[in-house]
Amino acid sequence: MVKLFALSIFHKGASEARLLKTASDLQSFSFFQRGTVNEFMTFASKTIVERTQPALRQSVKQDAYMCHVYVRADNLAGVLIADHEYPHRVAHTLITKILDDFTAKVSADQWPNGTEATISFDLLPAFLARYQNPVEADPLTKMQNDLDETKIILKNTIEAVLERGEKLDDMVSKSEKLSLQSKAFYKTAKKTNSCCSFT
Amino acid sequence: MQTRRRLHQTDQQDYSSSSTYTIQADHQGGAGAGTGSVGTGTAVGSVGLLTQSLVPPTTGHEAAIHIGDTNQSDNSIPSPDYSDDKYGKAARQWNLRAFSGHALRTLSAAAAVVTGNQPGISNDSQSQYTNYPASIPSSSQFYQSKEEPQEPEPEPEIFIMAARDRTGEFANAIRSLQARNITRAVNIRDPRKAKQVQSYSEFMMVARFIGKNIASTYAKLEKLTMLAKKKSLFDDRPQEIQELTYIIKGDLNALNQQIARLQDISKDQRRHTNGKHLVSHSSNMVLALQSKLASMSTDFKQILEVRTENLKQQKTRRDQFSQGPGPLAAHTVSPSTAKQGSLLLSEENQAVSIDMGSSDTTPLLSTQTQMAIYDDSDNYVQQRAETMQNIESTIVELGGIFQQLAHMVKEQEEIVERIDTNVADAELNIEAAHGEILKYFQSVSKNRWLMIKIFGVLIFFFLFFIVFMS
């Protein structure tokens, strides 16, 4: 089952990565684990961003999670922690989209020195929630799924048409027989009528 | 051995300073011819410039070619002899006004040869006056083989080379030049036909030019084919191939435009001429050229495809070689290695060039790092492209399925028609039979009445007889 766990935005400074905004969905963990898991995820994201070079995308496998990171050329980085089954492409699409939105909303001068409190960007949780289901959120995947469904429907239709063809063949033979019999009937009737003398 | 041609100059000083060719076209055809006699082609011209050739001003039909020498004691030579006049007359007769400098030079050289008995002009000048493959050695040979005229002038140094009679070549040259400007002669006779012939010859020249270009582009394409088909891993020469590709592309475009122009000319011609054969011939030629161009473009496309295939293979082989030793420091499970078969063309070119650069110059580990990281960040785009391709192919498939569906339904329509016919027949028959039976029934019921009546009468008679008999 595809699942997203956390989505965060970092600014990759010269010495370290600054966490600018984060959102996480830890419903699957028990209440007591959530704090630990959260910390762990933040730490992992930070490390990954520090280890990645600018203008690079990476997908790193970590125990049970898959960490997708994209560091842009202007040192803005986005990290998405998901499970193994989440499609990579959708993950990176989401990260790119988030970064673009962030750039549009928050000006670049706030990045090097911002903290979670100072920067106002509220779309992260909404995105996280929406992209829990990659099929619906990502238009490409949706289109692909729709097309696949359509293909199945069409295949069924073709089978139905083939059946119809068979039935039509049946009908043809039956109607032929009917017409032959009716012809015989007519001939008999005519013959009976031919000898007019009453016997 | 140094040879020299005679110099006719009235005002030597002026012309000695300017060492240029001038084609004095109109007023003395001979003058232009004089410059022409210096040599063939622009290369020759440069040689002439280098050797400070002096242009005779007025009627001199030869220029002085001093090889390393300035003009000498030829100053006081007046307009020399009858050969000049004869030559000038010949030139005017052929109306050499609008000739190009090359043609003039050639013709004048040829004329000078014949009229002034000056053999020794090199072959190039006469036979190939349109293309000047002017080679400097041949032109220098030309210079050196020029001969002194046989004019009655005190020439201290006269070297006479082997004499050759080139009258035939001269005649050929005249004929071909004549053909080129056939309108001149024809003009005298029939202006309308002249225009036809002129436009036709213009068309022919353009067509010939295009044909030549097509041939040269074909040669380049062959070369590109050979280069692209090479499959060795290290001998690839991308620069050359790219250059050649670019050149061929430019050539194809130019050819396209030229053929379009040719088509316009032929359309134009069609309006003017009413010769059916001319028109059909020109349209056929345009078609032939277009088809050649089209075939060449398809070949070019195929070659490009072959080249990208080769690039892909090379990349996979290279990846095999350099990703053999173990994983990297960063523990990435690149799913990229699985995706290498599906690189896009442009990215692949980049990847290949970068990989070639990196694998050639950097040590192995950094190569690996570079390659793996590069592939990884490439992966996203690859995947997107793949998804798009999938979607596109799915849509195409769907289209095919719909078409099949429609086809099947159409086929079944036929069967339905047959059923319809059969049932209609059956209905007809049954109606007819029904009618017959009705008739029969009627007849049957009718007969009974008759029988009753007849029997009644018979019984009456029978009774009557019985009663009256007893």
Side-chain angles (χ1 to χ4, degrees):
Chain A
M1 189 53 207
V2 291
K3 199 149 171 45
L4 294 183
F5 295 115
L7 179 61
S8 20
I9 300 184
F10 283 84
H11 175 75
K12 185 178 162 77
S15 54
E16 55 131 22
R18 269 186 112 78
L19 174 63
L20 293 180
K21 221 45 177 156
T22 182
S24 51
D25 176 11
L26 301 174
Q27 301 297 328
S28 53
F29 303 106
S30 73
F31 185 71
F32 301 104
Q33 283 182 339
R34 277 181 210 166
T36 325
V37 169
N38 211 356
E39 279 181 28
F40 157 70
M41 286 194 178
T42 318
F43 175 68
S45 317
K46 194 157 168 222
T47 320
I48 282 263
V49 168
E50 280 167 7
R51 292 238 180 101
T52 314
Q53 300 170 10
L56 210 56
R57 296 174 186 277
Q58 269 196 356
S59 303
V60 183
K61 177 169 163 220
Q62 268 191 316
D63 312 326
Y65 315 112
M66 188 66 127
C67 198
H68 304 274
V69 60
Y70 174 42
V71 180
R72 274 210 320 212
D74 55 356
N75 284 333
L76 192 65
V79 181
L80 178 72
I81 303 189
D83 62 355
H84 283 208
E85 292 153 4
Y86 201 82
H88 294 220
R89 188 181 49 76
V90 181
H92 281 286
T93 315
L94 170 60
I95 296 181
T96 317
K97 195 149 168 242
I98 284 280
L99 289 181
D100 288 338
D101 281 348
F102 191 78
T103 318
K105 289 246 168 67
V106 177
S107 56
D109 49 354
Q110 288 183 339
W111 297 347
N113 302 321
T115 62
E116 275 214 57
T118 58
I119 296 190
S120 60
F121 183 64
D122 299 326
L123 299 174
L124 280 184
F127 269 113
L128 196 62
R130 209 174 103 205
Y131 272 76
Q132 286 288 354
N133 182 9
V135 172
E136 283 309 311
D138 184 33
L140 280 181
T141 325
K142 198 153 76 146
M143 203 163 26
Q144 180 79 29
N145 279 6
D146 282 344
L147 283 174
D148 287 338
E149 278 175 34
T150 315
K151 211 157 71 157
I152 293 183
I153 293 180
L154 271 183
K155 284 202 181 110
N156 288 344
T157 313
I158 291 221
E159 283 179 21
V161 167
L162 281 173
E163 266 186 51
R164 177 177 180 254
E166 283 176 29
K167 288 191 182 148
L168 281 177
D169 285 334
D170 265 348
M171 284 279 290
V172 164
S173 58
K174 286 203 175 132
S175 65
E176 273 181 16
K177 274 194 259 182
L178 181 64
S179 96
L180 287 174
Q181 281 179 345
S182 67
K183 206 162 178 192
F185 174 43
Y186 169 68
K187 284 207 177 111
T188 322
K190 200 159 183 193
K191 203 169 71 151
T192 323
N193 218 7
S194 67
C195 38
C196 307
S197 64
F198 177 65
T199 48
Chain B
M1 202 153 39
Q2 177 179 345
T3 60
R4 210 177 35 209
R5 292 183 58 79
R6 203 163 39 89
L7 170 67
H8 295 292
Q9 285 184 355
T10 56
D11 193 358
Q12 186 182 344
Q13 307 311 99
D14 288 349
Y15 289 92
S16 64
S17 54
S18 69
S19 58
T20 56
Y21 283 124
T22 58
I23 298 175
Q24 299 159 14
D26 272 343
H27 36 275
Q28 289 98 17
T35 66
S37 68
V38 172
T40 64
T42 49
V44 171
S46 61
V47 173
L49 284 177
L50 285 176
T51 60
Q52 288 269 316
S53 67
L54 303 166
V55 175
T58 52
T59 61
H61 62 94
E62 57 240 349
I65 302 167
H66 301 277
I67 302 184
D69 223 17
T70 55
N71 38 333
Q72 292 190 352
S73 60
D74 304 332
N75 311 347
S76 56
I77 302 166
S79 171
D81 40 299
Y82 57 97
S83 67
D84 251 349
D85 292 334
K86 225 193 324 183
Y87 167 70
K89 211 165 44 164
R92 276 190 293 277
Q93 181 184 1
W94 292 117
N95 219 343
L96 297 177
R97 284 166 192 248
F99 274 12
S100 71
H102 296 307
L104 274 177
R105 282 194 275 272
T106 315
L107 200 53
S108 62
V113 165
V114 173
T115 57
N117 272 338
Q118 294 161 8
I121 300 179
S122 71
N123 280 326
D124 302 54
S125 67
Q126 283 180 341
S127 49
Q128 301 174 24
Y129 63 92
T130 45
N131 307 337
Y132 289 98
S135 53
I136 296 190
S138 72
S139 59
S140 54
Q141 184 189 1
F142 165 39
Y143 290 143
Q144 290 171 0
S145 62
K146 277 249 176 43
E147 232 193 288
E148 294 293 320
Q150 296 173 8
E151 270 123 27
E153 278 152 20
E155 286 286 344
E157 303 160 8
I158 296 180
F159 297 95
I160 297 185
M161 305 286 289
R164 267 182 294 176
D165 186 8
R166 292 180 172 248
T167 322
E169 295 178 37
F170 172 60
N172 282 342
I174 291 288
R175 220 175 297 137
S176 33
L177 274 175
Q178 204 178 357
R180 220 171 84 166
N181 282 316
I182 196 166
T183 59
R184 313 292 162 179
V186 178
N187 250 339
I188 303 173
R189 278 173 268 165
D190 186 5
R192 185 177 48 110
K193 200 156 173 255
K195 200 159 44 144
Q196 273 188 17
V197 180
Q198 178 183 22
S199 60
Y200 183 63
S201 66
E202 179 187 327
F203 176 78
M204 274 298 140
M205 279 198 321
V206 178
R208 188 170 46 190
F209 180 62
I210 292 182
K212 236 183 334 181
N213 280 353
I214 287 186
S216 78
T217 315
Y218 240 128
K220 286 183 211 155
L221 195 62
E222 300 272 317
K223 192 155 166 242
L224 182 66
T225 317
M226 266 179 31
L227 277 178
K229 281 216 165 92
K230 272 204 293 216
K231 283 202 170 186
S232 87
L233 202 56
F234 300 106
D235 198 12
D236 201 16
R237 287 179 280 185
Q239 284 295 65
E240 220 177 284
I241 291 186
Q242 276 186 6
E243 264 179 40
L244 209 50
T245 314
Y246 182 67
I247 290 178
I248 290 185
K249 234 182 268 193
D251 277 345
L252 283 176
N253 282 341
L255 276 172
N256 231 348
Q257 287 169 4
Q258 282 167 10
I259 289 191
R261 221 181 56 201
L262 188 69
Q263 209 168 13
D264 287 339
I265 293 181
S266 88
K267 265 192 215 130
D268 209 19
Q269 209 185 42
R270 206 170 301 156
R271 263 184 285 128
H272 293 308
T273 68
N274 23 5
K276 213 171 27 165
H277 292 291
L278 262 183
V279 165
S280 75
H281 174 62
S282 48
S283 61
N284 283 344
M285 276 194 53
V286 172
L287 270 172
L289 288 172
Q290 274 173 348
S291 62
K292 268 199 213 148
L293 183 66
S295 70
M296 206 161 45
S297 329
T298 46
D299 283 344
F300 184 50
K301 243 180 281 189
Q302 276 173 8
I303 284 299
L304 285 181
E305 280 167 18
V306 165
R307 164 109 181 108
T308 56
E309 274 304 315
N310 281 352
L311 278 180
K312 269 189 212 165
Q313 284 174 14
Q314 278 184 12
K315 184 164 194 327
T316 51
R317 276 156 71 190
R318 215 174 246 118
D319 289 340
Q320 279 175 18
F321 291 148
S322 44
Q323 265 192 3
L328 306 167
H331 42 85
T332 57
V333 175
S334 314
S336 58
T337 49
K339 304 269 185 228
Q340 279 177 5
S342 60
L343 293 175
L344 289 179
L345 178 57
S346 60
E347 283 167 359
E348 180 174 336
N349 277 340
Q350 292 172 18
V352 170
S353 49
I354 290 181
D355 283 347
M356 292 206 304
S358 67
S359 56
D360 284 345
T361 61
T362 65
L364 195 57
L365 184 59
S366 56
T367 304
Q368 281 193 20
T369 314
Q370 203 165 0
M371 277 181 58
I373 290 182
Y374 186 83
D375 280 346
D376 203 15
S377 75
D378 203 18
N379 192 31
Y380 170 58
V381 185
Q382 277 179 37
Q383 277 183 322
R384 269 165 75 111
E386 223 183 83
T387 317
M388 302 270 196
Q389 278 177 352
N390 274 350
I391 290 184
E392 189 195 346
S393 63
T394 315
I395 293 184
V396 167
E397 251 184 79
L398 279 180
I401 292 182
F402 268 114
Q403 230 180 7
Q404 273 186 8
L405 193 63
H407 189 62
M408 280 164 59
V409 171
K410 182 79 171 62
E411 279 178 357
Q412 289 178 350
E413 179 193 351
E414 201 183 297
I415 301 180
V416 167
E417 298 257 337
R418 277 168 58 195
I419 295 178
D420 194 28
T421 326
N422 284 341
V423 168
D425 275 347
E427 194 199 352
L428 213 63
N429 282 333
I430 292 177
E431 288 287 324
H434 180 57
E436 295 288 327
I437 291 186
L438 275 178
K439 265 198 289 184
Y440 184 64
F441 170 67
Q442 274 188 5
S443 72
V444 160
S445 39
K446 232 178 20 171
N447 272 349
R448 217 178 281 149
W449 274 112
L450 269 174
M451 288 300 125
I452 288 175
K453 280 188 201 148
I454 291 174
F455 268 120
V457 167
L458 272 175
I459 286 173
F460 176 72
F461 268 116
F462 188 71
L463 279 175
F464 183 75
F465 269 118
I466 300 265
V467 163
F468 273 108
M469 280 303 148
S470 59

